[in-house]
């Protein structure tokens, strides 16, 4: 029997026929990248292939890399193996990778969601023989509400905070969730401010021609009154930091699919938990898998064991795969930094430089030069 | 019910005390008196009687959610709460309901007149008209597992601000044996106490810990600095029994435990001394197993408490006594506002006249001249079957609840061993969907033998790391339990150790918990079963 077209080895998902990897977690010669999140796009590979719209962020996060990009549905050949990107609807520039060789078609989903978020090209099912899928939220307790309802809730909450004189912090991953939140904010309520890491990410996206609604970087010079009436979009790592606590009083909300569970909401201890995810929910996963008309499913991360069992009961040839994906999706817990507070309202003499401030995973990988939010 | 469901959501959504109190006040002002008293009952642990057992509730939910049973069970492992799991799994609501909390509770209470089939219809019909949050609180009420993330103090604070009554007065009034069907909100807020509940206990006075953990041990000098002149303090051994209030009023006796359980029937040995006390007497003390003039280890009491029927054998193996340390009511008068030294005199007088000094014992006052002397004595607490010392200011009143300053507990440092984590299981509530419940083992030759489970002691950050380890190093799955590659070493602390025939290791620990994660140790460095046996 011929080797399978794609195999899981200790470096990532490997295509022997084409000699390339998809989203490898260890350095390789040729890496095809589904999207720019840190658990899928790691540093140290010799060549990268990604979608056009991942270019700016990949360069921002990984520095100078040798990067080739392609559009959706555009065929790229390596050693006669046909590679193409297809919309995954997860974040801007996210793609499923379709690999075809000698009549066999495999698709690697990367991360995906099935609903239209208004900023990334919506998910398109791709027919294949084997589908390598994520299942981050592969349990039936995860059912998303229509996103518009969540965005309405966010705006209502922001409006009330603004009227009652509280600043509003809303936390979500800097790449993906932050743009999605921004896209649906009702800017008649107040101004939108961005944490430095997110502002940098936006500059990177804009370098690829993405146009985002207006929002300004939060700096020590930002007008206090406007901040109090406004909303500040920040990464999860900023929650509970001195940076945030300096803006009193405030209310903070957290956007994540994990906010479905009361236990996770209580752990996060946010004033508001908004169930807003860039991953497919239970029924989204099942619909997506059914639509590929595949025979075989490999599950890379999430509730893989339960989901495999469920798919088998539905007649699929389903398997679990061991990968290193999913880290970016861990709900970030409160971070209490020590050291000098990085006050967004610091005056010159009180000293705003604090290069020792420790940031968590996402932000470190975001490659911020100073390792702290740009003030 | 809508108001109640949104109250619950609003309380969940904020961590700010003032905001919680504001939300509670808003709620109490806006709902009917009937709903107010039902809410108060639920928030103080007075749940309606369970009319449908949870396995039926589960079965009917699985049917309605149309998923395989194993998937329901695994969902429950993720969510960590049955009521919430059901609320999340049921299909979208098809209607709406406007019944009040009181009306729903009345329906629940009337379920005993229905057949099983009718109950099922009623339940599925009820679910179908509720939204997710309503289903959640309804399930909690129905399955008798209603617990709320808001302390009784906050509710008291809100009610006090609404009514103008003192918080301590309200705390006292909501104690005891009341039922929302007979006790009204109007009664609660009367200027003069309208209750005729003769069983009603006083709120327990609680102590703060001198040191929360063993690495924060206080020296004699530090004690001197914090508490001042030893002459102002009364020291007693801290007994390892069940805190209890013993009441004799109008020819009736009542024994309440600290958890506000009426446990009179659990302690028949204590009835004669209590009945012989003058009417209008309330004592605070410790219910404890006592033999040959000495307290017995806590596990003897624990075994007894777990039993439904007190057989002759149990009574013979675990004889009870009451170690009294305070008198709260004397000759029908509430004397909590008198200084401790006076209350102690009254207590001693009652004891002196008692003909049952075997079962009615006084907690002896431990004399000490200096903090150094007490410090040295404390190191020998285990020889006295005590957990350390209680320190009470001689001129203090009997406070309501936990107030800083007058009462302190100064516990001995726990015993400890280094152990290897071998199994993990997901937690509940705030720890849902995280591996937080661990089983630990020590070496027995070249094998690891499990000896304790512990759930607490790690920070959120550490829990996350251990959770990640468990997910990546699972050897086998047995239902919700995972066997993991032994690699992580933790220092496990415990208050006591006893022989046990029920455990493979042959020992049972009292209150085991994680003291710290020993990153510096390899599994070979963990302790052996002999270390544990030597502590017996």
């Amino acid at each position: 029997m011929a080797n399978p077209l794609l195999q899981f080895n200790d470096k990532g998902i490997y295509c022997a026929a084409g000699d390339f990897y998809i989203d490898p977690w260890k350095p390789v010669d040729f890496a095809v990248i589904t999207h720019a999140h840190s658990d899928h796009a790691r540093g140290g590979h010799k060549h990268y292939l990604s979608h056009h719209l991942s270019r700016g962020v990949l360069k921002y996060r990984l520095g100078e890399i040798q990067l080739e990009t392609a559009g959706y549905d555009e065929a790229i050949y390596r050693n006669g193996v046909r590679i193409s990107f297809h919309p995954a609807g997860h974040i801007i520039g996210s793609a499923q990778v379709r690999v075809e060789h000698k009549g066999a078609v495999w698709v690697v989903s990367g991360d995906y969601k099935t609903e239209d978020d208004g900023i990334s090209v919506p998910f398109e099912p791709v027919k294949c023989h084997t589908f390598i899928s994520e299942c981050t939220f592969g349990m039936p307790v995860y059912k998303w509400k229509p996103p518009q309802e969540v965005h309405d809730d966010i705006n209502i909450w922001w409006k009330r905070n603004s009227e009652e004189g509280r600043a509003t912090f809303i936390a979500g991953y800097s790449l993906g969730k932050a743009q999605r939140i921004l896209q649906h904010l009702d800017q008649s309520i107040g101004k939108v401010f961005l944490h430095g890491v997110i502002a940098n990410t936006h500059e990177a996206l804009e370098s690829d021609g993405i146009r985002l609604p207006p929002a300004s970087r939060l700096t020590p010079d930002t007008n206090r009154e406007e901040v109090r009436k406004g909303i500040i979009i920040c990464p999860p790592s900023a929650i509970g930091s001195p940076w945030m606590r300096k803006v009193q009083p405030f209310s903070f909300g957290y956007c994540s699919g994990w906010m479905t569970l009361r236990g996770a909401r209580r752990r996060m201890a946010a004033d508001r938990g908004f169930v807003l995810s860039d991953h497919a929910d239970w029924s989204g996963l099942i619909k997506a898998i059914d639509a590929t008309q595949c025979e075989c499913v490999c599950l890379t991360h999430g509730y893989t064991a339960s989901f495999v069992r469920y798919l088998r009961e539905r007649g699929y040839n389903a398997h679990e795969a061991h990968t290193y994906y999913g880290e970016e999706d861990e709900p970030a817990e409160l971070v209490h930094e020590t050291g000098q507070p990085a006050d967004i309202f610091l005056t010159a003499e009180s000293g705003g430089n604090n290069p020792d401030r420790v940031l968590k995973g996402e932000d470190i990988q975001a490659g911020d030069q100073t390792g702290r939010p740009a003030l | 019910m809508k108001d109640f469901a949104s109250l619950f959501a609003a309380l969940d959504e904020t961590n700010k005390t003032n905001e919680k109190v504001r939300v509670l006040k808003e709620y109490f002002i806006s709902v009917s008196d009937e709903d107010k008293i039902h809410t108060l009952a639920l928030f103080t642990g007075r749940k309606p009687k369970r009319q449908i057992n949870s396995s039926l509730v589960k079965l009917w939910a699985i049917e309605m959610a149309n998923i395989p049973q194993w998937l329901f069970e695994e969902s429950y492992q993720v969510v960590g709460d049955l009521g919430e799991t059901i609320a999340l799994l049921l299909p979208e609501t098809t209607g709406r309901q406007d019944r009040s909390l009181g009306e729903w509770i009345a329906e629940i209470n009337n379920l005993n007149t229905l057949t099983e089939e009718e109950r099922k219809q009623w339940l599925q019909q009820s679910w179908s008209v509720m939204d997710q949050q309503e289903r959640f609180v309804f399930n909690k009420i129905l399955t008798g597992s209603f617990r709320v993330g808001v302390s009784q103090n906050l509710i008291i604070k809100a009610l006090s601000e609404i009514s103008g009554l003192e918080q301590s007065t309200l705390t006292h009034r909501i104690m005891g044996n009341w039922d929302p069907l007979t006790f009204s909100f109007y009664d609660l807020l009367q200027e003069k106490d309208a209750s005729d509940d003769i069983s009603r206990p006083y709120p327990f006075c609680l102590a703060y810990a001198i040191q929360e953990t063993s690495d924060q041990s206080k020296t004699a000098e530090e004690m001197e600095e914090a508490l001042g002149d030893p002459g102002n303090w009364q020291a007693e051994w801290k007994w390892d029994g069940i805190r209890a209030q013993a009441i004799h009023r109008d020819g009736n006796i009542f024994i309440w435990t600290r958890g506000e359980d009426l446990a009179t029937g659990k302690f028949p040995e204590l009835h004669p001394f209590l009945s012989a006390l003058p009417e209008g007497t309330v004592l605070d003390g410790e219910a404890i197993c006592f033999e040959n003039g000495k307290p017995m280890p806590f596990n003897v009491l624990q075994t007894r408490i777990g039993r439904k029927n007190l057989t002759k054998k149990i009574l013979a193996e675990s004889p009870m006594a009451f170690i009294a340390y305070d008198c709260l009511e004397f000759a029908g008068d509430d004397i909590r506002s008198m200084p401790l030294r006076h209350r102690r005199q009254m207590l001693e007088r009652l004891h002196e006249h008692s003909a049952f000094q075997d079962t009615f014992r006084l907690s002896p006052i431990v004399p000490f001249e200096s903090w150094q002397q007490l410090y040295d004595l404390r190191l020998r607490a285990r020889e006295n079957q005590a957990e350390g010392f209680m320190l009470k200011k001689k001129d203090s009143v009997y406070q309501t609840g936990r107030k800083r300053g007058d009462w302190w507990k100064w516990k001995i440092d726990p015993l400890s061993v280094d152990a290897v984590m071998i199994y993990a299981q997901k937690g509940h509530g705030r720890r849902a969907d995280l591996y937080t419940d661990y089983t630990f083992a020590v070496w027995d030759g070249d094998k690891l033998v499990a000896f304790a489970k512990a759930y607490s002691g790690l920070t959120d950050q550490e829990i996350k790391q251990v959770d990640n380890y468990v997910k990546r190093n699972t050897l086998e799955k047995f239902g919700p339990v995972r066997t993991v590659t032994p690699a992580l070493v933790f220092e496990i602390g415990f208050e006591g150790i006893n022989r046990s025939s029920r455990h493979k290791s042959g020992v049972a620990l009292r209150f085991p918990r994680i003291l710290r994660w020993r990153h510096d140790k390899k599994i070979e460095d963990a302790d052996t079963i002999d270390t544990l046996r030597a502590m017996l």
Side-chain angles (χ1 to χ4, degrees):
Chain A
M1 204 182 117
N3 271 339
L5 186 51
L6 298 177
Q7 286 165 290
F8 292 89
N9 66 22
D10 59 343
K11 293 183 178 146
I13 305 173
Y14 183 56
C15 176
D19 192 23
F20 63 86
Y21 281 84
I22 298 170
D23 290 354
W25 47 83
K26 284 194 180 152
V28 300
D29 282 345
F30 197 94
V32 181
I33 301 296
T34 58
H35 64 290
H37 274 153
S38 58
D39 52 332
H40 292 261
R42 294 171 199 258
H45 311 307
K46 278 202 187 129
H47 302 271
Y48 289 78
L49 172 64
S50 78
H51 185 265
H52 293 319
L53 295 180
S54 293
R55 173 183 290 276
V57 179
L58 283 176
K59 296 226 159 177
Y60 162 58
R61 291 187 158 200
L62 302 177
E64 272 317 304
I65 53 171
Q66 201 178 328
L67 174 66
E68 183 189 340
T69 61
Y72 293 124
D73 293 309
E74 190 181 322
I76 308 275
Y77 287 89
R78 264 185 74 80
N79 296 351
V81 176
R82 186 185 190 278
I83 306 167
S84 56
F85 290 121
H86 301 270
H90 175 56
I91 60 170
I92 292 171
S94 67
Q96 306 176 73
V97 177
R98 180 184 184 278
V99 180
E100 182 181 350
H101 187 58
K102 294 186 180 165
V105 178
W106 291 49
V107 170
V108 177
S109 75
D111 291 336
Y112 63 97
K113 69 170 170 290
T114 49
E115 63 213 344
D116 183 356
D117 62 14
I119 47 162
S120 50
V121 180
F123 177 87
E124 280 173 21
V126 182
K127 282 186 192 164
C128 58
H129 300 107
T130 298
F131 187 44
I132 298 176
S133 175
E134 63 133 329
C135 64
T136 304
F137 290 104
M139 283 301 256
V141 293
Y142 297 106
K143 285 186 263 194
W144 310 149
K145 283 202 289 187
Q148 195 50 51
E149 281 181 33
V150 183
H151 292 302
D152 290 346
D153 285 347
I154 293 173
N155 283 319
I156 291 167
W157 164 69
W158 175 23
K159 186 151 192 270
R160 190 169 158 208
N161 290 336
S162 173
E163 285 165 359
E164 294 175 5
R166 275 190 303 268
T168 302
F169 281 91
I170 189 150
Y173 289 113
S174 58
L175 175 59
K177 202 65 63 67
Q179 295 79 53
R180 190 174 174 192
I181 293 167
L182 173 61
Q183 181 74 28
H184 297 94
L185 287 174
D186 174 0
Q187 298 222 13
S188 71
I189 298 169
K191 287 187 82 164
V192 183
F193 298 96
L194 304 177
H195 182 279
V197 168
I198 293 174
N200 293 349
T201 304
H202 284 201
E203 281 170 14
L205 288 167
E206 278 158 359
S207 73
D208 284 327
I210 299 287
R211 296 192 54 187
L212 294 164
S216 5
R217 185 186 288 264
L218 192 62
T219 74
D221 305 325
T222 310
N223 179 301
R224 272 165 189 262
E225 212 33 56
E226 285 184 343
V227 172
R228 206 142 280 150
K229 292 209 165 91
I231 189 166
I232 303 137
I233 308 178
C234 65
S237 55
I239 295 170
S241 68
W243 175 84
M244 177 169 165
R245 288 199 299 265
K246 285 291 169 180
V247 188
Q248 295 286 1
F250 68 79
S251 178
F252 96 87
Y254 185 70
C255 294
S256 165
W258 300 111
M259 292 296 104
T260 301
L261 301 186
R262 183 163 177 251
R265 290 197 299 273
R266 286 166 67 198
R267 278 206 290 285
M268 180 50 64
D271 294 310
R272 290 293 300 268
F274 297 102
V275 182
L276 190 70
S277 177
D278 285 329
H279 294 268
D281 65 2
W282 170 257
S283 61
L285 287 167
I286 292 168
K287 266 185 221 144
I289 291 168
D290 284 349
T292 63
Q293 297 179 18
C294 66
E295 292 144 15
C296 183
V297 187
C298 267
L299 297 164
T300 55
H301 60 293
Y303 298 96
T304 49
S306 312
F307 204 62
V308 160
R309 180 169 172 188
Y310 184 77
L311 289 177
R312 286 182 180 168
E313 287 185 4
R314 283 173 61 98
Y316 281 98
N317 178 4
H319 303 276
E320 268 183 88
H322 181 76
T323 70
Y324 288 86
Y325 309 138
E327 296 298 314
E328 184 121 8
D329 304 309
E330 293 290 337
E333 304 289 344
L334 292 182
V335 191
H336 296 286
E337 279 94 355
T338 49
Q340 288 291 110
D343 184 354
I344 63 159
F345 293 130
L346 272 186
T347 51
E349 59 270 26
S350 56
N353 282 332
N354 177 25
D356 300 332
R357 185 172 178 277
V358 182
L359 284 179
K360 299 211 333 176
E362 186 188 25
D363 302 299
I364 293 165
Q365 306 200 5
D368 188 300
Q369 292 296 309
T370 57
R372 68 189 176 95
L375 297 183
Chain B
M1 179 79 143
K2 281 210 168 5
D3 312 306
F4 187 68
S6 15
L7 168 70
F8 203 93
L11 289 173
D12 257 3
E13 268 175 5
T14 178
N15 296 302
K16 299 180 182 93
T17 306
N18 288 341
E19 182 64 14
K20 287 192 189 221
V21 173
R22 190 188 67 76
V23 166
L24 282 164
K25 275 163 71 178
E26 230 167 60
Y27 172 82
F28 277 118
I29 290 168
S30 67
V31 301
S32 70
D33 277 8
E34 190 201 7
D35 275 14
K36 285 186 182 103
I37 202 76
H38 277 298
T39 303
L40 191 59
L42 287 170
F43 279 19
T44 55
R46 290 164 177 83
K47 313 168 261 210
K49 195 161 167 272
R50 197 193 309 188
Q51 302 285 1
I52 308 178
N53 72 39
S54 27
S55 46
L56 282 177
V57 173
K58 204 156 87 177
L59 194 71
W60 298 336
I62 291 170
E63 186 188 294
M64 197 164 154
N66 194 22
I67 58 169
Q69 188 181 343
W70 68 265
L71 190 54
F72 182 93
E73 298 295 346
E74 296 204 2
S75 298
Y76 170 67
Q77 293 306 326
V78 166
V79 178
D81 179 287
L82 181 64
E84 187 185 354
T85 309
I86 293 173
L88 290 168
L89 289 174
L90 292 176
E92 287 279 291
T93 176
T94 53
R96 62 176 273 127
Q97 59 81 29
D98 288 304
R99 270 163 278 180
S100 71
L101 176 65
E103 286 167 329
W104 278 112
I105 289 179
E107 287 200 25
I108 293 173
N109 286 333
N110 288 333
L111 284 174
N112 53 6
T113 60
L114 303 185
T115 65
E116 190 171 306
E117 190 51 39
E118 287 168 332
R119 286 179 205 199
K120 176 180 167 184
Q121 266 180 16
W122 171 84
L123 182 57
Q124 293 189 336
Q125 170 62 26
S126 303
W127 277 332
S128 70
V129 293
M130 292 179 189
D131 68 24
Q132 196 174 301
Q133 183 68 15
E134 289 169 338
R135 282 171 181 170
F136 170 59
V137 293
F138 169 78
N139 290 345
K140 301 294 279 178
I141 299 170
L142 186 76
T143 56
S145 57
F146 193 89
R147 275 208 270 154
V148 66
V150 50
S151 74
Q152 186 166 306
N153 286 348
L154 291 189
I155 297 154
I156 296 290
K157 189 154 188 259
L159 288 176
S160 160
E161 287 180 19
I162 292 172
S163 66
L165 288 173
E166 291 284 337
Q167 291 185 32
S168 57
T169 308
L170 284 167
T171 310
H172 185 201
R173 284 189 189 175
I174 61 166
M175 294 202 66
N177 228 351
W178 57 272
D179 181 322
L181 298 177
T182 52
F183 184 59
S184 74
F185 196 70
Y186 177 81
D187 294 339
L188 175 74
L189 296 188
Q190 284 303 291
E191 194 63 40
K192 274 245 153 44
D193 195 345
S195 166
D196 50 7
D197 174 13
I198 57 161
S199 78
R200 189 161 73 186
Y202 294 101
F204 285 90
C205 174
L206 305 173
Y208 269 95
I210 295 274
Q211 59 204 41
E212 292 298 341
T213 56
S214 49
D215 43 3
Q216 295 168 4
S217 253
K218 294 279 183 293
T219 61
E221 291 74 39
E222 287 170 317
M223 291 297 284
E224 175 92 42
E225 200 170 304
L227 301 185
D229 184 359
N232 294 333
W233 294 87
Q234 170 176 317
E236 297 166 43
W237 293 111
K238 185 178 186 313
W239 303 109
D240 195 9
I242 292 178
R243 180 84 181 270
Q245 219 174 101
I247 299 174
H248 183 204
R249 287 183 190 131
D250 295 349
N252 292 288
I253 59 167
F254 307 95
I255 300 171
W256 289 91
T257 64
R258 157 100 168 73
E260 274 193 61
D261 283 320
L262 188 53
T264 320
K266 294 252 177 196
F267 307 117
E269 300 99 318
L270 307 184
H271 296 182
F273 99 78
L274 194 49
S275 303
L277 287 174
E279 294 197 351
T281 301
V282 178
L283 303 180
D284 182 11
E286 204 90 0
I288 192 163
C289 288
F290 220 88
E291 197 173 41
N292 303 327
K294 277 197 332 199
M296 299 171 76
F298 185 79
N299 67 321
V300 179
L301 176 56
Q302 199 170 29
T303 312
R304 169 173 167 150
I305 289 295
R307 298 293 158 85
K308 266 221 167 85
N309 297 316
L310 292 171
T311 58
K312 271 199 179 133
K313 186 163 172 279
I314 294 272
L315 288 172
E317 284 172 355
S318 46
M320 295 296 305
F322 185 78
I323 303 184
Y325 35 68
D326 216 324
C327 176
L328 314 183
E329 188 174 307
F330 188 83
D333 277 340
D334 174 358
I335 59 165
R336 291 176 297 157
S337 57
M338 287 173 64
L340 172 63
R341 61 168 79 86
H342 291 296
R343 300 199 309 273
R344 176 78 192 189
Q345 281 171 10
M346 312 263 195
L347 177 65
E348 286 175 2
R349 204 186 307 165
L350 289 169
H351 181 254
E352 222 170 274
H353 291 100
S354 174
F356 301 91
Q357 296 190 355
D358 275 355
T359 46
F360 174 22
R361 313 185 76 98
L362 270 186
S363 177
I365 293 176
V366 181
F368 70 108
E369 302 293 324
S370 69
W371 292 110
Q372 189 59 50
Q373 195 188 350
L374 200 66
Y375 183 93
D376 296 339
L377 274 173
R378 170 177 155 268
L379 301 178
R380 288 164 47 202
R382 280 202 180 87
E383 296 165 28
N384 290 284
Q385 281 76 39
E387 296 183 282
F389 280 119
M390 291 297 303
L391 298 170
K392 300 172 183 172
K393 221 177 193 163
K394 287 179 182 166
D395 61 5
S396 63
V397 302
Y398 189 89
Q399 301 275 16
T400 298
R402 202 181 298 278
K403 298 266 159 57
R404 199 170 275 278
D406 290 344
W407 279 31
W408 296 96
K409 48 185 172 190
W410 194 17
K411 290 176 68 162
I412 34 176
D413 297 338
L415 300 164
S416 72
V417 289
D418 291 330
V420 183
M421 183 185 73
I422 54 167
Y423 310 134
Q425 193 171 349
K426 283 181 181 172
H428 298 273
R430 202 174 164 271
R431 300 154 145 243
D433 206 22
L434 278 178
Y435 286 95
T436 56
D437 303 358
Y438 316 122
T439 302
F440 296 95
V442 286
W443 293 105
D444 183 3
D446 59 353
K447 285 197 188 69
L448 282 166
V449 53
F451 72 101
K453 275 187 176 188
Y455 310 87
S456 62
L458 294 183
T459 63
D460 283 359
Q461 204 56 40
E462 288 172 323
I463 286 174
K464 237 179 102 179
Q465 290 168 14
V466 177
D467 174 74
N468 198 34
Y469 176 83
V470 171
K471 283 175 183 153
R472 299 206 180 282
N473 294 279
T474 299
L475 298 172
E476 280 177 289
K477 295 174 189 172
F478 299 98
V481 180
R482 290 189 177 205
T483 319
V484 299
T485 313
L488 310 186
V489 178
F490 297 85
E491 185 180 344
I492 306 302
F494 45 97
E495 296 303 315
I497 181 166
N498 286 289
R499 243 171 261 286
S500 162
S501 51
R502 286 174 49 224
H503 298 87
K504 214 165 142 193
S505 61
V507 296
L509 305 188
R510 167 102 167 101
F511 187 31
R513 72 268 190 192
I514 303 166
L515 296 180
R516 59 187 70 83
W517 186 349
R518 298 300 303 255
H519 293 278
D520 56 326
K521 294 218 169 181
K522 296 203 177 85
I523 58 169
E524 301 81 55
D525 304 328
D527 280 306
T528 65
I529 189 75
D530 295 328
T531 316
L532 282 170
R533 285 189 190 129
M535 293 175 182
L536 283 166

